[in-house]
Amino acid sequence: MKDVISILRHCGIQPTPQRIAVVEYVLKNKSHPSADEVLSSARKRCPTVSRATVYNTLNLLVEKGLLAMQTIKEGAVVFDSNLEKHHHFIDMDTGRIYDISWDQLQVKGKEKLKEFEVTEFQVIMRGRKKKG
Amino acid sequence: MKDVISILRHCGIQPTPQRIAVVEYVLKNKSHPSADEVLSSARKRCPTVSRATVYNTLNLLVEKGLLAMQTIKEGAVVFDSNLEKHHHFIDMDTGRIYDISWDQLQVKGKEKLKEFEVTEFQVIMRGRKKKG
DNA sequence: TCTTATTTTAGACGCTGTCAAGACTTTTCG
DNA sequence: CGAAAAGTCTTGACAGCGTCTAAAATAAGA
């Protein structure tokens, strides 16, 4: 993966220590952190970073298409660095969210919905992850 | 549809004026109201009803299986009186949520997910509703 | 009626997310 | 260089969502 600084420059975002701390965490993270989790982690690297800066940076990344925002859990939006189309599985016990690659599921029938113009979709599954 | 009072009694919930106001609105409503919308509507019928009572009642209904809770829009959970399995379409312009009946879409491949035990799922689509 | 259990209420609380004002940095350019 | 401008960060305030608690109101039971 390219280094964070060049990614930011490439999008016209000035790389500052605060932003690097945020981006470093959120783009290399395969879990689905909330803004608050990003804040805590960014503070390990840059203890003075403020909540507003974290939100600003996350919103910037979403705006630039470097990060996806998902509203699939209650309480808070989560951020997803996986930019490929994919589905989601949510473990009902742990709350953990897993990506399910796009081609593992086939959804048919959308084109028959005459009243609706579907521009994006995903399957959201809930259940339990098997051990292992 | 059965009247609200007997529905509540049947579930061991004492029908009070406040609860009736909430339930009357939320169970007969095909839109997908947030708790706040339920509060406003319930107050038309029962002006003194408090926020806590609305939340308590909604949670009770969900617990008893009379109402479903959906976290598909940011900002607030919405409540869904449609107890049949179904999918959802969200209009990106208006924010309105539409139910898509279960048999209009076919999802295949879940049974091949060896690591996950899927107990429920739905397709969430976004786009624009065509005029009409 | 007196007692007890259930409900409702108001208000406080914690959390999420946004915003404005001012301080601080980095550019830009004379 | 140095000053102005532009961009960035922080603090603190704010509004909304949802939960909780203590106390008041209501209902139920003996």
Side-chain angles (χ1 to χ4, degrees):
Chain A
M1 180 187 267
K2 281 176 72 180
D3 71 300
V4 165
I5 294 181
S6 34
I7 293 175
L8 291 177
R9 286 232 176 80
H10 186 262
C11 292
I13 303 175
Q14 272 186 39
T16 66
Q18 294 85 342
R19 284 172 175 169
I20 292 168
V22 169
V23 177
E24 189 77 42
Y25 177 74
V26 85
L27 286 195
K28 307 212 159 161
N29 203 293
K30 288 299 166 216
S31 74
H32 298 72
S34 66
D36 202 63
E37 290 171 297
V38 176
L39 176 56
S40 322
S41 292
R43 280 200 169 143
K44 287 181 193 153
R45 193 176 286 244
C46 182
T48 71
V49 69
S50 71
R51 206 151 55 103
T53 297
V54 169
Y55 276 98
N56 285 340
T57 305
L58 290 172
N59 290 337
L60 254 180
L61 294 177
V62 170
E63 217 171 273
K64 299 289 184 184
L66 295 173
L67 194 60
M69 206 193 263
Q70 300 281 350
T71 61
I72 51 188
K73 242 201 318 200
E74 23 180 327
V77 158
V78 301
F79 296 89
D80 192 341
S81 61
N82 182 353
L83 296 175
E84 310 276 314
K85 281 180 165 195
H86 58 283
H87 306 287
H88 283 106
F89 177 92
I90 303 168
D91 189 302
M92 299 197 303
D93 293 336
T94 64
R96 226 192 301 277
I97 300 172
Y98 298 89
D99 287 359
I100 307 296
S101 69
W102 193 249
D103 53 10
Q104 287 193 269
L105 299 177
Q106 297 82 44
V107 179
K108 295 205 172 119
K110 296 180 306 299
E111 56 291 335
K112 293 201 188 118
L113 302 174
K114 295 222 198 65
E115 300 179 73
F116 303 100
E117 201 180 311
V118 177
T119 60
E120 58 181 79
F121 71 97
Q122 68 167 302
V123 179
I124 295 190
M125 294 168 284
R126 274 165 235 270
R128 269 163 258 283
K129 186 178 193 304
K130 294 179 190 162
K131 65 187 184 324
Chain B
M1 179 185 269
K2 283 177 70 181
D3 70 301
V4 165
I5 295 180
S6 34
I7 293 175
L8 290 177
R9 286 233 175 80
H10 185 261
C11 293
I13 303 176
Q14 272 186 41
T16 65
Q18 293 88 340
R19 284 172 176 168
I20 291 168
V22 169
V23 177
E24 190 77 43
Y25 176 75
V26 84
L27 285 195
K28 308 212 158 160
N29 203 290
K30 289 298 165 218
S31 75
H32 298 72
S34 66
D36 203 62
E37 291 170 296
V38 176
L39 176 58
S40 321
S41 294
R43 279 198 170 144
K44 287 180 194 153
R45 193 176 285 244
C46 183
T48 71
V49 69
S50 71
R51 205 153 55 102
T53 297
V54 169
Y55 276 98
N56 285 340
T57 306
L58 290 172
N59 290 337
L60 255 179
L61 294 176
V62 170
E63 216 171 275
K64 297 290 185 184
L66 295 172
L67 193 61
M69 205 194 263
Q70 299 281 351
T71 61
I72 52 189
K73 242 201 320 201
E74 18 181 330
V77 157
V78 301
F79 295 90
D80 192 340
S81 60
N82 183 352
L83 296 176
E84 311 276 313
K85 281 179 166 195
H86 59 283
H87 305 288
H88 285 107
F89 178 92
I90 303 167
D91 188 302
M92 298 195 304
D93 293 337
T94 65
R96 226 193 301 279
I97 299 172
Y98 298 90
D99 286 0
I100 307 297
S101 68
W102 193 249
D103 52 10
Q104 287 192 271
L105 299 178
Q106 296 82 44
V107 179
K108 294 207 173 116
K110 298 179 305 299
E111 55 293 333
K112 294 202 189 115
L113 302 174
K114 295 221 198 67
E115 299 180 72
F116 302 100
E117 202 180 309
V118 177
T119 60
E120 57 182 80
F121 71 96
Q122 68 168 300
V123 179
I124 295 190
M125 293 168 284
R126 277 166 232 268
R128 272 162 256 283
K129 186 180 192 303
K130 294 179 189 162
K131 64 184 186 326

